[in-house]
Amino acid sequence: MSEFHHVTVLLNETVQAVRPQPGGVYLDGTAGGGGHSALLLQRMQGQGTLLAFDRDPDAIAHLQARFANEPVVQLIHANFFEAAQHVTAQVNGIILDLGVSSHQLDTDSRGFSYHREAPLDMRMSQSGTSAADLVNTMAEHELADMLFTLAQEKFSRRIARAIVAARPIHTTTQLAEIIANAVPAAARREGHPARKTFMALRYACNGELDGLEQALHSLFSLLVPGGRMAVITFNSLEDVAMKRVTKQLTAGCTCPPQFPACVCGKTPQARVPQKPMLPSQAELTQNPRARSAKLRVIEKL
């Protein structure tokens, strides 16, 4: 395993949003390199409980070494989608940093990057269905639908046709070249033509969007009144999921306006304590990968 490296996005803003206090219980659902967890721990002054989740065995190994002398840290090798199965106590704050880590992108053997020659893998948990399995077994129409649904790839049918014609496909650069040759020349000048296909495959391999809204609701249910959940998204699909959950949780009475009094009995479960936040220009200069990050926060009433 290569040394785990991850550049934490919106570090201070995210930790500050959940207002960590000594003695509290906090959950980092995507602990990764431990950036958010370490700052949470510092603000907790070593008192309370920090539940650090990650599905990547590389991350867990790194976190075990980093927090070996921190008795308040509990590491859980699992997807945050399963948090409710592992957490029995209510928590004061939750942090989620969605998307792929710097380590996963920069480790060639993981197969997340279209810039480097590597096996076509993309599995965050390093188990289950790989990207190679998908591109080599899915029917052409299924591939096209997946690319359009998960990445809004407008050339999805052309790309799917080219992939099926070129099978078997085993490496990242092989797939990237097939995609580049499948799209019009004008599209190749708008950015790397493989970007959306690789994103769709990553989502499909790891189920990052499947049940995301349900997972957000489940995590919200773990919060104490006044507890906050801070979520960093990196694209429109993740952000739409968070916005939809926020709208559902902050909705109140749904009775028609002509009713003289409320009969539905629905009241808001949450409020939005601050506006969505974007990385500062200083952070973007240091970490260009943060350019699409957006932080949204909800507080339980």
Side-chain angles (χ1 to χ4, degrees):
M1 181 192 75
S2 61
E3 182 179 353
F4 200 100
H5 169 73
H6 178 64
V7 182
T8 308
V9 175
L10 291 161
L11 173 59
N12 290 298
E13 295 89 342
T14 305
V15 172
Q16 183 175 328
V18 299
R19 303 178 299 184
Q21 299 290 328
V25 180
Y26 299 92
L27 189 157
D28 186 347
T30 47
H36 288 121
S37 288
L39 187 55
L40 277 171
L41 194 61
Q42 179 183 324
R43 302 285 174 83
M44 292 164 63
Q45 300 178 19
Q47 303 173 46
T49 302
L50 176 57
L51 305 164
F53 281 75
D54 208 286
R55 66 162 87 178
D56 189 335
D58 286 2
I60 292 296
H62 168 79
L63 294 166
Q64 286 172 335
R66 181 168 186 174
F67 299 124
N69 298 317
E70 300 290 353
V72 303
V73 178
Q74 296 181 19
L75 299 179
I76 299 119
H77 184 193
N79 188 337
F80 71 83
F81 280 31
E82 305 161 7
Q85 302 173 28
H86 297 271
V87 181
T88 54
Q90 285 195 298
V91 300
N92 299 90
I94 296 169
I95 286 176
L96 296 177
D97 182 358
L98 304 180
V100 66
S101 73
S102 301
H103 173 80
Q104 291 164 339
L105 283 172
D106 295 336
T107 302
D108 293 355
S109 61
R110 302 298 297 271
F112 283 95
S113 174
Y114 41 77
H115 292 298
R116 303 179 183 90
E117 177 80 16
L120 193 56
D121 194 327
M122 303 192 195
R123 296 171 297 174
M124 290 181 174
S125 65
Q126 301 185 40
S127 63
T129 301
S130 70
D133 294 330
L134 295 177
V135 300
N136 289 309
T137 62
M138 292 181 74
E140 182 179 323
H141 73 278
E142 292 175 327
L143 270 171
D145 290 348
M146 178 190 71
L147 298 180
F148 186 78
T149 302
L150 297 182
Q152 290 90 53
E153 174 55 76
K154 60 183 176 181
F155 301 112
S156 60
R157 307 223 169 271
R158 295 176 65 153
I159 292 171
R161 191 179 312 121
I163 286 173
V164 171
R167 289 171 173 171
I169 302 168
H170 300 295
T171 69
T172 52
T173 51
Q174 182 186 2
L175 177 60
E177 183 178 0
I178 291 165
I179 296 166
N181 291 332
V183 303
R188 295 198 291 272
R189 293 191 290 269
E190 298 173 357
H192 201 292
R195 181 179 63 84
K196 290 185 177 181
T197 296
F198 271 62
M199 181 174 72
L201 287 169
R202 192 197 92 205
Y203 276 147
C205 285
N206 298 291
E208 294 173 66
L209 296 176
D210 299 338
L212 176 58
E213 291 183 33
Q214 182 179 347
L216 292 172
H217 277 289
S218 179
L219 285 168
F220 179 82
S221 71
L222 299 175
L223 287 171
V224 300
R228 290 183 174 184
M229 181 164 68
V231 181
I232 303 172
T233 64
F234 285 88
N235 62 55
S236 61
L237 293 175
E238 295 169 352
D239 196 50
V240 164
M242 180 58 183
K243 286 170 65 177
R244 188 177 291 121
V245 169
T246 299
K247 184 177 181 180
Q248 292 165 353
L249 291 172
T250 55
C253 173
T254 57
C255 294
Q258 62 268 27
F259 278 27
C262 173
V263 295
C264 72
K266 295 178 182 177
T267 58
Q269 300 177 58
R271 74 180 189 97
V272 178
Q274 62 184 59
K275 294 180 179 179
M277 296 186 70
L278 304 176
S280 66
Q281 188 55 52
E283 180 171 2
L284 292 175
T285 300
Q286 294 182 343
N287 180 21
R289 286 177 176 167
R291 63 187 177 276
S292 57
K294 182 179 291 184
L295 172 65
R296 293 185 183 275
V297 183
I298 53 175
E299 178 182 318
K300 191 169 188 176
L301 296 175

